[in-house]
Amino acid sequence: MPPQLQARLREGRLGRQGGELGGVLDFVRNEIAPHPTGNGHPAFFAWINSPPAPAGIIADLLACAINATCGMGEHALMDLERGTVRMLADLAGLPGSAGGVLTSGGSVANLLALATARTWFLTRRDSGDGPAFDRDHARLTLYFSAQAHMSVAKSAACIGLSAHRLRAVATDAHDRLDPAALRAAVSADVNAGLLPFCTVTTVGTTATGAVDPLEPVTELCRSTGMWHHVDGAWGGLGAAVPALAAHYRGVGGVDSLTVDPHKTLNVPVGCGALLVPHPEHLHTAFAHRASYLTGEPDALPWLSHATVELTRPGTRALALWATLHHLGSDGVTALMEHYLALADRLREQITAEPRLELLAGGPWPVACFRITDQNGGDPDALHARIARRVQDNGRAYLATVAVQGRTVLRACLCNYRTTTDDLDQLIHEVLRAADAECHPDA
Ligand SMILES: *Cc1c(COP(=O)(O)O)cnc(C)c1O
């Protein structure tokens, strides 16, 4: 971006006189639209940032014009959100009773999940309020794997857990939570008089795409009175893909599941969801009454009774609904299979290239790799520079991540428009950048 434009955007000075709407839109076309994150491009492989598919873009605009508020009252968009959440729950393999609520993304869905787990746990101990709350709350202990997304620890901080009540459990050689290590941590804490209240597993870890074992964790949660939350911001819909289904055995028995349609489904940002087999747990955590908000006594709970938001946009529901109807359930499966096939091919290309080494990746569609011919120097700094050089060259984009304590390159597949030509381009750009960094005189 030109530095003058950056400075102008950040300055934020408002004139006294308004302007023509046309001039405002020209500014968006000329100054904003040319400088996006880049994730609309099929050769963008950084993080887990999808492009927006057309169905969602159009529906998003229409929902803004309809401008229903999906927190209260009874109207079409709120029912549409209820139905759309049901569709997601079916795709995710949750039982027919399941419900939930759309959120701005996976981080907020994880926050709602931890708040719900906390209320559920304390209510069962009859310590949801008063001095018993103070006594129990200070002992609540949360478990997740060392590969969990940082939003889990952030959510824990938001609900008032201190860092010394968080347990980052060891993972196995494939970056999956180790159930034996979890069991040991929980029993040590119980012996120390603490209150293990929730374990968070991840299906599709952000760094390497690993899927934690679900059934052993649910079993442990049942026997110790914990809530089992699954962070599926990336991989929450894996049960809909036959090749991944084995990893998702038992997903119907968990207590809550985060899903991020703005990742795998290419719905415009921000569209996430928290899904729960028993929606009443959300209502226990979030339904508050007020004299200025009264509905029909026999109506369904409002969606504001399942989340922290009251005035909520209809954009998430309409964009997701339009996307799902455009794809159909077969289309959802085919879209994820498209990512998986591309990732398999990319990993094969990396393995076949002697100047590259594949370090991790899968079952979710990602490849973590590094340069073999490094020509001395600090390898972590080298990989950061290579990624930066690829980004600056502007023909492909990828990021770095720490794997086994080393900074490596990470390429993620989550774009419906990406083709094998884009993979070839990425490999070409990485090798070119590596040559420029390692053999500048060649
Ligand atoms: C992306 C991600 C999140 C956060 O989701 P946002 O939509 O970015 O808030 C949480 N967990 C996992 C595993 C993720 O990959």
Side-chain angles (χ1 to χ4, degrees), residues 78-237:
M78 189 140 82
D79 281 326
L80 188 97
E81 179 167 338
R82 290 172 173 134
T84 305
V85 161
R86 282 279 339 132
M87 291 181 220
L88 268 189
D90 283 344
L91 289 166
L94 296 188
S97 63
V101 68
L102 299 182
T103 64
S104 59
S107 302
V108 172
N110 285 340
L111 173 62
L112 298 182
L114 292 196
T116 304
R118 184 249 316 263
T119 300
W120 168 84
F121 182 87
L122 293 180
T123 304
R124 280 176 13 139
R125 285 175 64 85
D126 213 12
S127 56
D129 203 0
F133 175 93
D134 295 338
R135 190 194 61 221
D136 281 0
H137 203 279
R139 294 187 292 150
L140 294 177
T141 309
L142 175 71
Y143 306 81
F144 46 82
S145 97
Q147 291 291 321
H149 191 264
M150 61 84 184
S151 62
V152 174
K154 192 197 280 196
S155 298
C158 288
I159 68 161
L161 301 189
S162 109
H164 76 291
R165 291 283 179 264
L166 311 188
R167 304 286 181 263
V169 177
T171 49
D172 66 14
H174 300 285
D175 294 332
R176 298 172 299 204
L177 181 142
D178 174 3
L182 174 65
R183 213 170 294 122
V186 169
S187 86
D189 286 334
V190 168
N191 290 337
L194 298 179
L195 296 175
F197 82 105
C198 177
T199 295
V200 178
T201 52
T202 308
V203 289
T205 58
T206 312
T208 67
V211 176
D212 287 342
L214 298 179
E215 277 177 327
V217 174
T218 300
E219 227 167 81
L220 180 69
C221 286
R222 293 292 162 268
S223 66
T224 53
M226 282 193 286
W227 180 278
H228 183 186
H229 173 61
V230 181
D231 181 0
W234 186 14
L237 299 181

Side-chain angles (χ1 to χ4, degrees), residues 48-50 149 233-234 260-267 271 339 414:
I48 316 172
N49 284 171
S50 307
H149 191 264
W234 186 14
D260 239 355
H262 67 204
K263 287 185 174 167
T264 35
L265 293 181
N266 297 186
V267 172
C271 182
Y339 309 138
C414 58

